C-alpha cells in the first residue's frame, strides 16, 4: 500500500478539524482579552456650549476614513437651534491641499440647558438624504475632559476608534502624560496611538 496515498484522506479530515480548533482557540482568546477590559464609560456630563469651537487633532488611532489626512486636522463644532451640532473637519492631504468634510452630531443622551447627560453623541458625514439610516451614525463618546476643556479624548464603546483633541496645536508634556496614563487605565492599547502633526502655532476658537 502506498503510504502517501493513505495519508492524504487522513490529512483531508484532520486539517479542517485543526483549523476549526485553531479558530475556536482564537475566539476564546479574543473573548478572554475582551473580558479583561472593563466596559468603557463616557463622562457623566458635557457642557455643549463650552465644547463648541475649534479643536486640533493631536493624536489618534489611524483609521481608513482619515487615511488621506497627513497633517493639520481640525474639527469645528457649531451648535444649531434644533439641538444638533454642525461638524466641520478639515485636514491637509499628501499633496498639501486642505480637504473639508461637513457632518452632523446629535445627542445620544439627554440634553437640557446646554448640558448633555451622559457625554455621548452620534455623528455622521453622509449626505442629508441618507441620514435616516441608523448604521451611518457613529458613536462619539467623550471619555476624558479636564474642567477647563483644554483637551478632550473621544472614543466609542468598542475602543476601535480614538482621538485626542486640543484647543491648541500641541499638548503640554504634562497633559500628554496624563492622557496616556488614563488611557491605560481605561483599557486602550497605546501602541496604536499615533501623534498627528500640526503646523499651526496659535489657537483658533
Amino acid at each position: 500500500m502506498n503510504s502517501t496515498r493513505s495519508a492524504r484522506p487522513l490529512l483531508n479530515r484532520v486539517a479542517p478539524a485543526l483549523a476549526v480548533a485553531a479558530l475556536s482557540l482564537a475566539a476564546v482568546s479574543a473573548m478572554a482579552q475582551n473580558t479583561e477590559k472593563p466596559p468603557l464609560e463616557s463622562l457623566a456630563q458635557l457642557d455643549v456650549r463650552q465644547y463648541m469651537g475649534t479643536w486640533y487633532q493631536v493624536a489618534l488611532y489611524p483609521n481608513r476614513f482619515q487615511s488621506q489626512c497627513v497633517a493639520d486636522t481640525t474639527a469645528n463644532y457649531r451648535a444649531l437651534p434644533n439641538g444638533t451640532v454642525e461638524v466641520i473637519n478639515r485636514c491637509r492631504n499628501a499633496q498639501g491641499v486642505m480637504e473639508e468634510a461637513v457632518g452632523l452630531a446629535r445627542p445620544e443622551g439627554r440634553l437640557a440647558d446646554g448640558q448633555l447627560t451622559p457625554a455621548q453623541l452620534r455623528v455622521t458625514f453622509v449626505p442629508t438624504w441618507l441620514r435616516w439610516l441608523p448604521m451611518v451614525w457613529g458613536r462619539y463618546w467623550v471619555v476624558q475632559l479636564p474642567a477647563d476643556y483644554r483637551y478632550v479624548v473621544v472614543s466609542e464603546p468598542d475602543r476601535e476608534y480614538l482621538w485626542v483633541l486640543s484647543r491648541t496645536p500641541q499638548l503640554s508634556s504634562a497633559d500628554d502624560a496624563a492622557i496616556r496614563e488614563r488611557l491605560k487605565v481605561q483599557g486602550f492599547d497605546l501602541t496604536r496611538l499615533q501623534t498627528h502633526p500640526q503646523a499651526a502655532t496659535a489657537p483658533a476658537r
Side-chain angles (χ1 to χ4, degrees):
M1 180 182 291
N2 189 309
S3 59
T4 302
R5 289 181 180 177
S6 61
R8 283 176 182 168
L10 179 62
L11 286 173
N12 289 339
R13 295 194 301 272
V14 172
L18 290 175
V20 170
L23 288 172
S24 300
L25 287 172
V28 170
S29 176
M31 289 175 63
Q33 290 178 5
N34 288 336
T35 56
E36 289 173 3
K37 295 180 181 179
L40 185 64
E41 296 183 0
S42 69
L43 297 187
Q45 194 171 67
L46 178 71
D47 186 327
V48 174
R49 288 167 292 196
Q50 193 173 353
Y51 197 78
M52 297 300 97
T54 298
W55 295 89
Y56 295 88
Q57 178 181 281
V58 294
L60 77 161
Y61 277 1
N63 57 71
R64 59 179 178 79
F65 49 85
Q66 284 184 283
S67 59
Q68 79 282 11
C69 298
V70 299
D72 302 329
T73 299
T74 60
N76 186 275
Y77 302 114
R78 182 173 68 91
L80 301 177
N82 63 358
T84 61
V85 175
E86 179 189 63
V87 183
I88 301 179
N89 286 351
R90 297 184 178 94
C91 75
R92 191 176 305 280
N93 64 27
Q95 289 72 45
V97 177
M98 293 299 295
E99 296 189 10
E100 180 178 286
V102 179
L104 188 74
R106 66 187 186 195
E108 190 169 25
R110 177 175 177 269
L111 181 63
D113 298 324
Q115 303 297 314
L116 177 61
T117 308
Q120 300 175 10
L121 300 100
R122 293 270 184 169
V123 179
T124 186
F125 286 90
V126 302
T128 304
W129 61 275
L130 280 175
R131 291 176 183 174
W132 64 274
L133 294 169
M135 71 283 296
V136 305
W137 292 87
R139 284 178 166 176
Y140 181 110
W141 284 18
V142 176
V143 299
Q144 292 186 38
L145 185 66
D148 63 359
Y149 285 52
R150 67 183 180 274
Y151 66 77
V152 64
V153 180
V154 177
S155 187
E156 43 72 43
D158 296 327
R159 298 181 177 87
E160 282 302 310
Y161 299 97
L162 180 66
W163 293 272
V164 181
L165 310 176
S166 173
R167 287 297 192 183
T168 56
Q170 287 83 34
L171 286 172
S172 69
S173 57
D175 282 343
D176 182 67
I179 289 169
R180 290 172 180 272
E181 189 61 33
R182 179 61 183 154
L183 285 173
K184 286 193 291 185
V185 173
Q186 292 173 305
F188 286 93
D189 179 6
L190 294 188
T191 64
R192 293 180 58 194
L193 187 62
Q194 293 186 8
T195 57
H196 185 77
Q198 291 283 350
T201 57
R205 297 298 293 274

